[in-house]
Amino acid sequence: MALYNRVEGRVLKEKMRATPEKRVTISFYRYHHILQPQEFRDQLYREFDAIGVLGRIYIANEGINAQISVPENNLETFRSKLYSIDWLHGVRLNIAVQDDGRSFFKLKILVRKKIVADGLDDSSFDVTNSGVHVDAATFNKLMDDPNTVMIDMRNHYESEVGHFKGAICPDVDTFREELQVAEDLMKDQKNKNLLMYCTGGIRCEKASAWMKHKGFKNVFQLNGGIIKYAQEVKEQGLENKFIGKNFVFDERLGERITDDIIAVCHQCGKPCDDHTNCKNDGCHLLFIQCTECAAKYNQCCSDECKEIITLPEDQQREIRKGINKGRQVFKKSRSEKIQFRK
């Protein structure tokens, strides 16, 4: 059995669009010392591929971080297989708030050095000594406490489309930068309540442990992140203090929490919070684009990219040959921002 899916992505996407199969989008994580991550990865691939699981899973010596989709009719089988792994038994599964079943189109399980790139030396502090996990009701109460400082532990392009009212949203590209900003911001406020949140909780797990290591006394983190919060406020009839969209790292690029649109199209300035990737394979800039600009630029970020995608595929490959731009993200608020090409 092949332990990788080698079918071209475009073919898999078309297959996904054509199937009527109902799927459930799930995320989960757990920090745990894995002695043989490659062996565990291969075992997981065999079992998940057999029941139609799609998505992206990172395995490292420190644990697992997964964003996946599961066929609805195999959900209980998936849960049973996952919970049969002793250290994953009972792990919290975050179910997507807004799900069309098209979040992923292939299964990709990768072995990495870390399940979240944080730039920290884990041997220098106790990563299990994390902050107090709080539910939606407690989170709301802490938000109202004047002695609380709340920090969004996500990247700028995530908080741009949605965040909690009153949260500090650092203008950063990476989680590594976020940790330093949070530490610097709170250095003279170590006795205040430090309230942290992220998408599903994994970044706060590490961040809260780091802040406690740095001497912060009252560190709290939103249990299950924004995903769990949205479900709890709805189920319990609580005030929803999150506004806008929750950015997600899959094909959807966002799930709506409230009807508020707090961002604008990066091309025309019209109110919009729909992220997209430039259609030019040599660019793939992540940016916000309204439907009118998507039509005008043929889902591209610029006239240049719009022209490139009209060329034959071999010419497009020649243009992007040898160029590795890394992750391109539009950032409007800094001087060294990535500019749309004219």
Side-chain angles (χ1 to χ4, degrees):
M1 173 186 172
L3 297 183
Y4 298 91
N5 191 323
R6 302 190 184 281
V7 180
E8 187 179 358
R10 292 179 183 180
V11 174
L12 293 171
K13 285 183 179 181
E14 286 302 319
K15 181 181 178 181
M16 173 59 70
R17 293 189 187 103
T19 179
E21 181 181 58
K22 293 183 178 180
R23 304 182 68 87
V24 180
T25 299
I26 297 169
S27 62
F28 67 90
Y29 70 89
R30 178 155 287 179
Y31 282 98
H32 177 81
H33 187 55
I34 302 175
L35 293 176
Q36 300 291 337
Q38 184 64 49
E39 183 178 315
F40 178 68
R41 178 262 173 214
D42 292 347
Q43 171 197 340
L44 211 60
Y45 191 98
R46 291 187 188 95
E47 295 191 3
F48 282 5
D49 186 57
I51 58 173
V53 174
L54 303 175
R56 179 178 55 249
I57 302 174
Y58 297 143
I59 306 290
N61 286 119
E62 66 175 0
I64 184 172
N65 180 17
Q67 295 89 38
I68 60 174
S69 78
V70 182
E72 195 174 75
N73 59 1
N74 280 342
L75 186 56
E76 288 310 311
T77 301
F78 160 76
R79 198 190 307 267
S80 176
K81 285 182 177 293
L82 186 69
Y83 285 0
S84 69
I85 302 169
D86 57 355
W87 59 274
L88 286 173
H89 182 73
V91 67
R92 183 186 62 246
L93 301 178
N94 286 329
I95 308 297
V97 175
Q98 188 182 47
D99 188 13
D100 62 1
R102 303 292 185 268
S103 50
F104 297 99
F105 58 90
K106 69 185 297 184
L107 177 61
K108 183 185 293 186
I109 305 182
L110 304 174
V111 174
R112 289 192 161 185
K113 290 183 178 180
K114 291 200 171 191
I115 54 177
V116 175
D118 52 40
L120 299 177
D121 176 8
D122 290 353
S123 65
S124 67
F125 69 108
D126 183 0
V127 297
T128 66
N129 184 26
S130 56
V132 177
H133 294 68
V134 298
D135 59 14
T138 307
F139 189 82
N140 280 359
K141 289 178 182 177
L142 282 166
M143 284 177 65
D144 294 334
D145 188 332
N147 194 47
T148 294
V149 176
M150 177 170 49
I151 303 180
D152 190 319
M153 295 305 296
R154 302 172 302 153
N155 301 324
H156 71 91
Y157 54 87
E158 298 172 78
S159 59
E160 183 176 2
V161 295
H163 53 76
F164 280 101
K165 300 172 185 176
I168 295 171
C169 301
D171 187 22
V172 297
D173 289 332
T174 66
F175 180 50
R176 181 181 303 185
E177 294 175 90
E178 183 82 48
L179 285 168
Q180 188 61 57
V181 169
E183 185 180 336
D184 293 343
L185 181 69
M186 297 294 295
K187 63 182 179 182
D188 297 321
Q189 305 182 77
K190 291 193 175 183
N191 291 319
K192 285 202 170 187
N193 297 325
L194 173 54
L195 187 59
M196 314 170 87
Y197 70 88
C198 57
T199 307
I202 187 170
R203 283 176 278 189
C204 289
E205 204 73 40
K206 182 67 72 72
S208 64
W210 176 253
M211 296 302 278
K212 288 182 71 175
H213 169 67
K214 285 295 183 175
F216 296 92
K217 308 299 182 184
N218 308 308
V219 183
F220 303 88
Q221 64 188 86
L222 180 57
N223 190 38
I226 299 164
I227 298 173
K228 184 66 174 173
Y229 176 90
Q231 293 168 344
E232 288 185 356
V233 294
K234 184 176 181 179
E235 292 168 357
Q236 300 172 28
L238 304 173
E239 179 185 356
N240 185 355
K241 297 193 176 190
F242 187 93
I243 53 174
K245 262 186 178 180
N246 179 30
F247 184 94
V248 292
F249 293 87
D250 58 48
E251 290 292 300
R252 298 171 298 154
L253 293 178
E255 50 187 17
R256 186 157 298 287
I257 307 299
T258 71
D259 293 333
D260 305 275
I261 298 178
I262 65 173
V264 298
C265 172
H266 289 155
Q267 288 174 310
C268 72
K270 175 184 175 181
C272 177
D273 57 8
D274 294 329
H275 273 101
T276 189
N277 286 104
C278 179
K279 196 175 179 180
N280 175 17
D281 287 339
C283 177
H284 273 271
L285 179 76
L286 178 70
F287 68 107
I288 297 174
Q289 185 180 56
C290 68
T291 54
E292 290 84 352
C293 287
K296 178 180 178 181
Y297 292 96
N298 195 11
Q299 302 174 53
C300 290
C301 70
S302 64
D303 287 324
E304 179 184 341
C305 284
K306 179 182 175 181
E307 292 173 6
I308 288 175
I309 66 171
T310 64
L311 299 173
E313 182 59 37
D314 59 339
Q315 289 188 36
Q316 291 186 47
R317 284 197 295 267
E318 191 63 32
I319 290 173
R320 61 178 182 263
K321 184 184 296 184
I323 299 176
N324 182 10
K325 293 185 177 181
R327 183 167 178 77
Q328 293 268 54
V329 178
F330 176 71
K331 190 169 185 180
K332 62 182 180 181
S333 59
R334 67 183 186 192
S335 58
E336 68 271 25
K337 66 186 178 183
I338 299 170
Q339 299 275 3
F340 285 127
R341 291 177 290 275
K342 302 299 183 182

